[in-house]
Amino acid sequence: MDCVRLVRWIEGSDLLKEIQSRDDFSPNVVTYTSVISGYSKLSKMEEASIVFDEMISSGTKPNTITFNVLVDGFGKAGNMALAVAMYEKMLFLGCLPDVVTFTSLIDGYCRAGQVDEGLKLWREMFARNLSPNKYTFAILISALCKENRLHEACDFLRHLRGWNIVPQPFMYNPVIDGFCKAGNVDTANVIVAEMEEDRCNHDKMTYTILIIGHCMKGRMVEAISIFNKMLATGCAPDEITVNSLISRLLKAGMPKEAFRIKQITWENLNVGLSSLKRTIPVNVNTDIPVAV
C-alpha cells in the first residue's frame, strides 16, 4: 500500500480514539468497520482484532460487512484457523453469512493449498441457498488448475452457463494455460471455442497463452495466425509475447517470419526495437538484421 493510503488509515485510527473520548458522539458499526477494514488492508490483523474486541466491548453489534472484512483479512494472511473462528462467531451472534463470506473462506483455503476444504464450503453455500458470483467461480477454477485438476476446472466453467454470470477471460485463462502447459493444445483450443460460444472475448493473457502453447508444440503457423488475430482485434501484445514468438520462430528456422513479426510490432504497436533485440540470437541468416 502507498504512503498516502497508509497515513489515511492511521489518521482513521486516531479519529476513532478521538470519537471514543467524546461524550457527545459514539462510534457506530460503520466507524468501527472502516477502521477494521483499514487495518485488514494493511495486513495488520492483530490491530484489526483489537478494534473488533473494542467494538464488542462497547456494545456495538458487528454486521455482515464487519465479519466479511475480518474473514477475508485472516484468509489472505494465511490464518485459516482465525478466519473460520470469525465465521463461527458470526453464526453465534446471529449474523447471516453471504456469498462474500463464503468466497473469502474459499479463497483462504485455496491460497493455503486446501482446495478440497474450499469445495466443501462451495457445497455448504448451496445448502444455504446462496448463489456463487464470478469471483467464487474464478477462485476455484484457478485453484483446481494449480493442482492440475483440469477436468474439474472445466466442469466449473460449464456450470457458469446455469447461472446469471457473464463469463470473463480470467475464468477461462487458467484452464487454457493448464492444458497448454500439459502439452494438450487441442483441448485448450476446445476451451477457447467454448469461450467464444459464450461470447467471452479473448484478452492479452488469452492470446499470449495460446501463442506460447502453440509454439511449444511446434505449431508455428497457428501461433502466427493467433498473433495476427491479436493485432486485428486491437489487443496489443507485450514484450513477453513478442519475444517468445520471435525466439521460437528463429529456432524453427523461420527468420523471415521472425523479422516480419518484429517489424509489424514496431510499425503498428510502437514497441521499441531495442527491447526486442535483446532476445534475438546473433547466429541467424546475415540478411536478417540482428543485434550484435
Side-chain angles (χ1 to χ4, degrees):
M1 176 174 286
D2 59 78
C3 293
V4 174
R5 289 179 68 192
L6 177 59
V7 170
R8 284 176 181 169
W9 287 122
I10 291 172
E11 288 175 347
S13 181
D14 290 340
L15 179 61
L16 176 60
K17 292 175 184 176
E18 183 181 337
I19 291 172
Q20 289 172 323
S21 67
R22 291 174 57 176
D23 295 328
D24 59 336
F25 189 80
S26 297
N28 58 21
V29 61
V30 176
T31 315
Y32 279 112
T33 301
S34 296
V35 177
I36 290 168
S37 177
Y39 279 126
S40 296
K41 288 177 180 177
L42 288 168
S43 299
K44 293 180 176 290
M45 296 313 299
E46 184 175 349
E47 290 86 344
S49 297
I50 291 170
V51 176
F52 177 75
D53 290 340
E54 289 178 6
M55 180 182 186
I56 299 295
S57 298
S58 73
T60 304
K61 185 178 178 180
N63 60 21
T64 300
I65 298 172
T66 315
F67 282 110
N68 285 348
V69 166
L70 287 162
V71 168
D72 187 61
F74 283 122
K76 283 184 167 60
N79 195 334
M80 285 309 297
L82 286 180
V84 172
M86 197 57 64
Y87 168 65
E88 291 173 348
K89 185 176 289 188
M90 180 182 193
L91 297 177
F92 177 76
L93 293 177
C95 193
L96 294 177
D98 59 12
V99 61
V100 177
T101 318
F102 278 97
T103 301
S104 294
L105 285 168
I106 290 168
D107 181 51
Y109 275 122
C110 289
R111 284 171 181 264
Q114 297 177 272
V115 183
D116 287 331
E117 291 299 321
L119 291 171
K120 286 180 185 177
L121 284 167
W122 167 269
R123 292 187 285 271
E124 183 179 337
M125 185 171 64
F126 282 99
R128 290 179 174 272
N129 293 317
L130 291 172
S131 300
N133 60 28
K134 61 183 178 181
Y135 300 109
T136 323
F137 273 101
I139 288 164
L140 281 167
I141 288 168
S142 179
L144 287 166
C145 289
K146 286 178 182 176
E147 292 202 347
N148 204 32
R149 296 162 66 172
L150 299 174
H151 291 289
E152 290 177 71
C154 286
D155 288 340
F156 271 92
L157 277 180
R158 285 153 189 161
H159 284 160
L160 277 173
R161 296 171 183 174
W163 299 91
N164 191 25
I165 296 174
V166 178
Q168 301 291 326
F170 62 78
M171 299 176 181
Y172 286 88
N173 289 340
V175 184
I176 297 167
D177 187 50
F179 280 115
C180 283
K181 285 179 177 174
N184 197 341
V185 179
D186 290 333
T187 304
N189 287 334
V190 171
I191 302 300
V192 171
E194 292 179 3
M195 181 180 183
E196 292 170 350
E197 286 175 12
D198 291 336
R199 298 181 181 179
C200 182
N201 294 326
H202 305 174
D203 63 6
K204 184 186 294 186
M205 183 63 69
T206 317
Y207 283 115
T208 299
I209 290 166
L210 288 169
I211 290 167
I212 294 174
H214 282 80
C215 284
M216 293 294 288
K217 292 292 286 185
R219 299 181 178 181
M220 305 314 302
V221 173
E222 292 91 335
I224 293 169
S225 176
I226 295 166
F227 182 81
N228 290 338
K229 183 179 178 181
M230 184 179 191
L231 295 180
T233 58
C235 186
D238 57 23
E239 288 185 22
I240 294 174
T241 312
V242 176
N243 290 343
S244 296
L245 180 54
I246 289 174
S247 176
R248 290 284 172 176
L249 285 168
L250 291 171
K251 288 179 181 178
M254 302 171 69
K256 290 183 179 179
E257 285 296 334
F259 180 64
R260 187 186 71 83
I261 294 296
K262 185 172 69 171
Q263 192 172 40
I264 63 173
T265 303
W266 163 257
E267 291 173 352
N268 298 326
L269 302 173
N270 201 28
V271 174
L273 284 172
S274 59
S275 64
L276 297 176
K277 287 179 180 179
R278 288 197 294 268
T279 60
I280 301 177
V282 298
N283 57 338
V284 295
N285 291 352
T286 55
D287 60 329
I288 304 300
V290 294
V292 293

